[in-house]
Amino acid sequence: MKAHKLILFFLFPAITSYSQTEIQPNKKIAVNLPTILKLAGANNLTIKQYQLEYTLSLAQIDKAKEWFLPTIMAGPTMHYLSGAAMQTSGSVLPDVTQRELWLGGGIRASVNFNTGIFDVMTQKQQSAAIKFESQAQRNSIILDAIADYYDLMVAQFTYAQLVNLNTQADTLTNQIRVQVEAGIRYQSEYLLAQTNAGHIKFKLTDAEVQLQKKSDALLSILNIDTNATLVSSDTGIIPMEVISGRADTGLMSRYVQNRPEYKSIQAQLNSIEAEKKTTTVGLLLPKLEVGTPDALLGTFGEPYYNTYSLDAGLLWSIPIGRIIYKGDLKTYNAEINIEQNTMQQFSNVVQQQVADARAEIRLSSEQMNFSRQSLAQANTALTQSIERERLGTVLPFEVFQSEEFYVQAEEDYLTAVSNYNKAQYQLYVAMGNNL
């Protein structure tokens, strides 16, 4: 805790200076982790694409539900014939003129109980598959956003510390120059100090580039104004406990079943099984066709008479190819086997993800412990080196080494905390939770 407070003590002035003066982008946007979680789920175009596809799937369900509804027709039809006509008896009548007007309406229905019933079931399962896949993509994208945000924080704090070191290097160089001019130190020590200051400026510029890259990567995920630089408003990286307790391998089957990817595969499997029924029990279901027009019928301008008819049929269709080759049935069975194999593969993926995340949490926790101690030691060494340099009891390169060790120790600690927090979120999602 003391080391952590020490980090904040050194970093906060540099962060403030950095955010106000050092980098001059078109615009700066201050963000924190809750903001990132919110924006990644709301603005990402991939997530939006899945939402649009899910909306389409709901429309397709409504379309499939229309299978039993009839079609209504209404309006006039006209018929005119001049010349010869053949009567039902087979005789041909010459010089015939026919003028016929049909004015009425009717209703027609063609209801296929086989494809109609199972198509609705199929569309519902496909819609569910898209919905679960959308949630899986959402989790993946938000995890990427979390990782990029922590990378941004590490880059930002590293840059801020280099700003501090750059100031210290300039001060130290000027002090050595004065001492060289006074004959206290050698010219080579001054040249070495200038070289070190140049090296820090180089690293500072490289850190600025890395900071912008991390910002751009996060901006791409969040889908917000690209003419901006994201700046973390957090003043430190604190270890987080996203999940309560340790992941129990005995609950692995529950982790798998809770994953939206697994639910999506299961829904897709259900969709294929529903569609398969059109080649099994669906063959026992008939097709109903009904048509009934009612209208006035007569010649142009003459009295009209009512005409009405009713046509109906209940038909069973049994394709011979289904009995001999069973091509559709074999196709559906093959697709079902593929989905079942995919489910098993995904089960193995979940086990690996949980194991990897647990290992990352354990190892990064160990890294935090010894890097925190190293950071405190490096800070003490740097403070003493700077003080000894003022007293003239230390060589300049020792101060330079202390600065380098301190920056590296700080970056190691921040990276360890960042990796620990990333792994916490990865394990949280791997166990079947949604972000």
Side-chain angles (χ1 to χ4, degrees):
M1 182 60 70
K2 291 181 179 180
H4 179 65
K5 291 181 179 179
L6 187 61
I7 295 172
L8 297 184
F9 176 79
F10 277 98
L11 286 183
F12 186 76
I15 293 172
T16 303
S17 174
Y18 146 73
S19 63
Q20 293 177 353
T21 61
E22 293 298 331
I23 298 179
Q24 300 297 329
N26 295 332
K27 182 169 60 176
K28 294 175 186 174
I29 301 177
V31 293
N32 55 21
L33 187 57
T35 303
I36 295 299
L37 296 176
K38 181 178 179 180
L39 291 177
N43 293 347
N44 183 266
L45 293 178
T46 301
I47 294 177
K48 184 177 181 180
Q49 180 70 21
Y50 274 93
Q51 292 172 343
L52 294 174
E53 291 181 3
Y54 178 64
T55 301
L56 174 61
S57 70
L58 295 179
Q60 291 172 336
I61 292 176
D62 291 336
K63 177 62 179 178
K65 290 179 180 178
E66 299 174 2
W67 67 275
F68 64 93
L69 297 176
T71 300
I72 298 175
M73 59 180 181
T77 63
M78 292 181 292
H79 171 75
Y80 177 82
L81 172 65
S82 178
M86 178 175 287
Q87 303 300 307
T88 55
S89 63
S91 60
V92 178
L93 302 178
D95 301 325
V96 173
T97 299
Q98 294 181 351
R99 295 178 298 176
E100 180 182 296
L101 177 65
W102 185 94
L103 181 63
I107 183 171
R108 292 178 180 174
S110 180
V111 181
N112 192 329
F113 293 96
N114 181 3
T115 58
I117 293 174
F118 298 118
D119 187 44
V120 174
M121 297 172 59
T122 299
Q123 292 296 334
K124 286 183 177 180
Q125 291 300 320
Q126 290 178 351
S127 178
I130 294 175
K131 180 180 180 180
F132 289 126
E133 181 62 24
S134 175
Q135 181 61 61
Q137 289 295 323
R138 176 186 175 89
N139 290 339
S140 177
I141 289 169
I142 294 180
L143 278 178
D144 290 341
I146 291 172
D148 286 344
Y149 177 70
Y150 278 113
D151 290 343
L152 174 70
M153 291 180 69
V154 172
Q156 179 175 317
F157 294 150
T158 300
Y159 179 86
Q161 190 55 53
L162 286 171
V163 170
N164 276 341
L165 289 183
N166 184 58
T167 302
Q168 293 177 6
D170 288 341
T171 301
L172 181 59
T173 301
N174 290 331
Q175 291 176 352
I176 295 176
R177 178 181 58 80
V178 173
Q179 293 172 352
V180 170
E181 292 174 351
I184 302 176
R185 289 194 181 277
Y186 295 105
Q187 180 70 22
S188 60
E189 294 178 317
Y190 175 62
L191 295 176
L192 183 60
Q194 286 183 313
T195 302
N196 179 71
H199 177 66
I200 292 177
K201 285 181 172 59
F202 175 85
K203 295 186 66 175
L204 184 61
T205 303
D206 184 65
E208 181 178 343
V209 172
Q210 295 301 318
L211 180 60
Q212 189 62 50
K213 287 183 177 180
K214 301 301 182 183
S215 174
D216 291 342
L218 193 53
L219 283 168
S220 177
I221 292 179
L222 301 183
N223 187 36
I224 56 180
D225 188 2
T226 54
N227 294 320
T229 296
L230 294 181
V231 178
S232 172
S233 60
D234 294 320
T235 57
I237 305 180
I238 302 174
M240 300 180 63
E241 297 295 332
V242 180
I243 60 173
S244 57
R246 298 170 61 92
D248 188 352
T249 54
L251 301 177
M252 189 60 65
S253 61
R254 182 184 302 177
Y255 298 157
V256 174
Q257 294 172 4
N258 287 341
R259 291 286 292 270
E261 296 95 329
Y262 181 88
K263 294 178 180 179
S264 178
I265 299 172
Q266 182 65 62
Q268 188 64 35
L269 175 61
N270 294 340
S271 172
I272 297 173
E273 290 177 340
E275 194 172 3
K276 173 187 173 182
K277 291 181 179 179
T278 60
T279 65
T280 55
V281 296
L283 294 179
L284 303 177
L285 300 178
K287 180 180 180 181
L288 174 64
E289 293 184 352
V290 178
T292 171
D294 187 15
L296 298 177
L297 182 66
T299 59
F300 299 165
E302 298 295 332
Y304 300 113
Y305 303 93
N306 181 260
T307 177
Y308 173 78
S309 65
L310 174 64
D311 299 312
L314 191 63
L315 307 174
W316 278 262
S317 298
I318 302 177
I320 301 301
R322 164 65 177 82
I323 299 175
I324 298 178
Y325 293 106
K326 302 179 182 180
D328 289 339
L329 185 60
K330 292 178 181 178
T331 299
Y332 289 128
N333 287 336
E335 292 177 351
I336 289 173
N337 291 334
I338 291 173
E339 293 299 326
Q340 291 174 341
N341 185 68
T342 302
M343 294 175 70
Q344 183 59 47
Q345 289 180 345
F346 182 73
S347 177
N348 296 337
V349 169
V350 173
Q351 294 184 41
Q352 187 64 45
Q353 288 178 345
V354 171
D356 290 346
R358 293 180 65 188
E360 180 69 23
I361 290 174
R362 178 178 58 84
L363 295 175
S364 57
S365 178
E366 295 176 2
Q367 289 178 334
M368 282 193 300
N369 291 333
F370 59 71
S371 62
R372 183 186 296 111
Q373 181 179 1
S374 298
L375 178 59
Q377 294 169 343
N379 179 72
T380 301
L382 176 59
T383 303
Q384 293 179 359
S385 296
I386 293 175
E387 183 61 28
R388 290 174 59 197
E389 193 281 329
R390 292 173 182 170
L391 299 175
T393 60
V394 66
L395 296 176
F397 77 87
E398 295 183 55
V399 180
F400 304 153
Q401 274 191 330
S402 297
E403 292 175 342
E404 184 177 353
F405 290 157
Y406 176 77
V407 172
Q408 187 60 57
E410 183 186 46
E411 187 174 354
D412 289 345
Y413 176 73
L414 295 175
T415 300
V417 178
S418 174
N419 291 339
Y420 180 83
N421 290 348
K422 291 179 190 177
Q424 287 279 329
Y425 280 102
Q426 290 167 357
L427 181 59
Y428 180 80
V429 172
M431 291 170 61
N433 301 295
N434 294 320
L435 294 173

